[in-house]
Amino acid sequence: MLEIKHVSKKYGRREALTDVSFSLPRGQIVGLFGENGAGKTTLMKSILGLTKFQGEITLDGKPITGANIARLSFATSEHSFFPALNAKEHREFYRAHFPDFIDNRFHALMAFFALPEDRPIGRCSTGQKNQFETVLALSQGADYILMDEPFAGNDVFNREDFYKVLLGLLTERETVLLSTHLLEEVQGFVGRALLLHEGRLIGDVDLSEAEERGEDLMSIVRKAYGYRADRVKEALDALGGDDQDA
Amino acid sequence: MMKRLEQCVPPGVDGAGELGTIYVLWALTGFNMLGRMIPFFEALQYLREHGGTLFQFWYYFTAPRYIFPVLVLPVMVIVSLLYLGAKIVAHYQSYRTGSRADYTMRRLPDRREYHRRALALPLVGLAGLAIIVAVTFAADVALYFWLAPAEGLPSMFQWPC
């Protein structure tokens, strides 16, 4: 169980996270949603120990240290691979540092995405770089796979195929925390939604329960963020009014 | 050997190339330090013959510059230090060039790996440089004790009259 307890983070005076608490048990696919600057990336970096924070984050009751950090993996749209290394060299590096590296998953995903094995990743296309980033995160052998906008720059067909493959390959011990703006694409894929707004957790929704109530992810998000469906009409009316005045 | 060398630099950095440059810098620093011994040797010989006041003057004002190369660093030592310092910066920078590989390095189970790879080769270069400077310094001192006239030696090394 990954537990986030009262986590806050400030960048100067700006509060990036304010008293965020939730827990992630094994075997869930969880969506982390929020507007730009809501604190999604900061939250993931806090979990991974890449940034300092107030509060407590534990993995099975223990703080995250070198002893258990291998149980967390990370795919980010910023990319965390080594641009000068090719796929084979990355595999060697990961195998040397992460004892649970899943070799056959790595090869299967490389084949699925048709990624080149001998070309330095830095010389691949943006889409291929994203794919390789997720291949590494999924192959590391981690229990908790954190993905921060991993598909930015990938075409929709690639993304859809990838969701299907992901559903097929994850085991019951693996949890995915997926941060993305592509709500409609992932709503059939995630089982739980965490909603961040201005650094605060404003919603933690079990989507199967919501479905029973007749709600889908989009309507939950619209409600949580106070989205006004009539604002487009209002704006158009106002523009039309300007035209008439002219 | 190559594989072990690759493990001493950030992934993707040309460790063999950097080690080659360090060897060259060591060699040039060694020649630089030895080259400084030639005028020192000649000066000592000249002063041994002429001695007296001139030697006293030289002893107090000039000799320390030769004997203590750490005080007045030969140009190749400065060049080598600049190179090694720049490599440390470049190694850390390499983790953030073209990607945020520092995220991967900082979440490795061996938390020392991030700094170890950035610092290992420059520190080896620095250690080699220190040995070269120490050896040539020892040679300078030995040369001085061998050639300096009695009045230039500390009293404990002078023959009792």
Side-chain angles (χ1 to χ4, degrees):
Chain A
M1 175 88 79
L2 182 64
E3 288 183 281
I4 287 84
K5 300 173 194 166
H6 306 292
V7 168
S8 297
K9 166 74 184 176
K10 278 186 182 179
Y11 290 115
R13 284 183 173 183
R14 194 177 74 79
E15 289 201 12
L17 292 173
T18 308
D19 198 27
V20 173
S21 297
F22 63 90
S23 58
L24 293 178
R26 297 273 198 100
Q28 285 192 347
I29 300 178
V30 181
L32 180 63
F33 306 111
E35 74 281 7
N36 286 334
K40 305 185 294 293
T41 301
T42 303
L43 178 61
M44 290 201 173
K45 286 181 182 173
S46 300
I47 294 171
L48 292 159
L50 298 174
T51 188
K52 289 180 180 170
F53 59 90
Q54 287 84 49
E56 191 183 12
I57 298 177
T58 57
L59 186 54
D60 292 338
K62 292 175 185 163
I64 294 165
T65 62
N68 59 6
I69 188 76
R71 293 179 58 200
L72 304 174
S73 69
F74 187 40
T76 166
S77 54
E78 290 182 277
H79 301 144
S80 59
F81 50 69
F82 304 102
L85 299 191
N86 61 32
K88 281 183 184 168
E89 290 162 337
H90 274 92
R91 179 175 151 266
E92 274 179 37
F93 181 86
Y94 268 65
R95 276 163 57 105
H97 290 283
F98 298 105
D100 295 327
F101 186 81
I102 310 167
D103 225 16
N104 55 358
R105 186 183 280 186
F106 177 83
H107 289 298
L109 287 169
M110 287 294 292
F112 169 71
F113 287 122
L115 290 170
E117 292 223 336
D118 295 316
R119 191 190 308 164
I121 304 302
R123 286 205 257 141
C124 293
S125 70
T126 304
Q128 287 177 317
K129 286 176 184 174
N130 291 340
Q131 288 160 352
F132 189 68
E133 182 80 9
T134 51
V135 168
L136 287 177
L138 290 167
S139 305
Q140 188 191 298
D143 297 329
Y144 292 87
I145 300 158
L146 279 56
M147 294 187 168
D148 186 18
E149 298 283 357
F151 313 115
N154 280 62
D155 62 67
V156 66
F157 305 112
N158 244 317
R159 293 198 299 264
E160 278 185 7
D161 283 349
F162 179 72
Y163 299 139
K164 289 173 194 164
V165 168
L166 193 53
L167 280 174
L169 65 81
L170 287 175
T171 64
E172 283 182 3
R173 69 174 183 86
E174 289 170 297
T175 290
V176 173
L177 180 62
L178 173 67
S179 156
T180 179
H181 287 102
L182 307 168
L183 291 178
E184 282 170 319
E185 277 185 23
V186 300
Q187 66 179 350
F189 164 72
V190 297
R192 180 179 164 198
L194 296 169
L195 309 178
L196 276 178
H197 178 56
E198 294 179 350
R200 291 174 191 277
L201 188 67
I202 59 164
D204 185 349
V205 185
D206 184 318
L207 290 176
S208 53
E209 286 176 10
E211 202 174 336
E212 285 171 16
R213 294 195 303 268
E215 289 183 303
D216 64 3
L217 180 58
M218 285 305 289
S219 64
I220 292 166
V221 168
R222 282 194 182 110
K223 199 189 295 178
Y225 289 89
Y227 175 75
R228 287 170 47 230
D230 59 343
R231 74 180 187 135
V232 176
K233 188 175 177 302
E234 274 178 23
L236 290 174
D237 286 347
L239 286 169
D242 287 349
D243 288 346
Q244 281 168 9
D245 292 344
Chain B
M1 169 69 183
M2 287 297 288
K3 190 143 186 149
R4 286 190 67 182
L5 188 58
E6 279 172 20
Q7 290 167 359
C8 293
V9 289
V13 167
D14 178 13
E18 286 190 7
L19 188 61
T21 306
I22 287 171
Y23 285 153
V24 170
L25 287 172
W26 281 349
L28 291 175
T29 304
F31 283 127
N32 193 185
M33 296 291 288
L34 289 173
R36 287 163 58 88
M37 290 175 75
I38 295 167
F40 179 54
F41 179 79
E42 286 172 352
L44 276 174
Q45 272 195 323
Y46 176 84
L47 291 164
R48 193 177 185 186
E49 287 166 18
H50 297 84
T53 316
L54 189 60
F55 180 84
Q56 292 296 332
F57 179 81
W58 181 84
Y59 176 73
Y60 284 111
F61 294 100
T62 312
R65 292 182 58 223
Y66 289 97
I67 296 174
F68 301 110
V70 178
L71 298 180
V72 184
L73 289 172
V75 66
M76 278 317 299
V77 175
I78 295 170
V79 169
S80 301
L81 288 174
L82 286 175
Y83 173 80
L84 296 171
K87 277 296 142 192
I88 291 174
V89 174
H91 285 175
Y92 279 111
Q93 198 61 41
S94 75
Y95 292 137
R96 287 169 170 241
T97 305
S99 77
R100 292 301 303 267
D102 57 318
Y103 292 163
T104 300
M105 293 304 295
R106 288 164 61 198
R107 60 179 189 82
L108 294 176
D110 182 355
R111 292 293 172 101
R112 295 166 302 176
E113 189 75 356
Y114 174 66
H115 296 297
R116 191 186 66 77
R117 284 188 180 244
L119 297 174
L121 212 51
L123 289 182
V124 167
L126 205 60
L129 206 61
I131 290 169
I132 290 165
V133 170
V135 167
T136 48
F137 171 64
D140 275 355
V141 172
L143 193 68
Y144 182 81
F145 275 82
W146 178 42
L147 289 177
E151 62 263 39
L153 295 173
S155 57
M156 62 190 288
F157 290 102
Q158 291 177 14
W159 292 107
C161 296

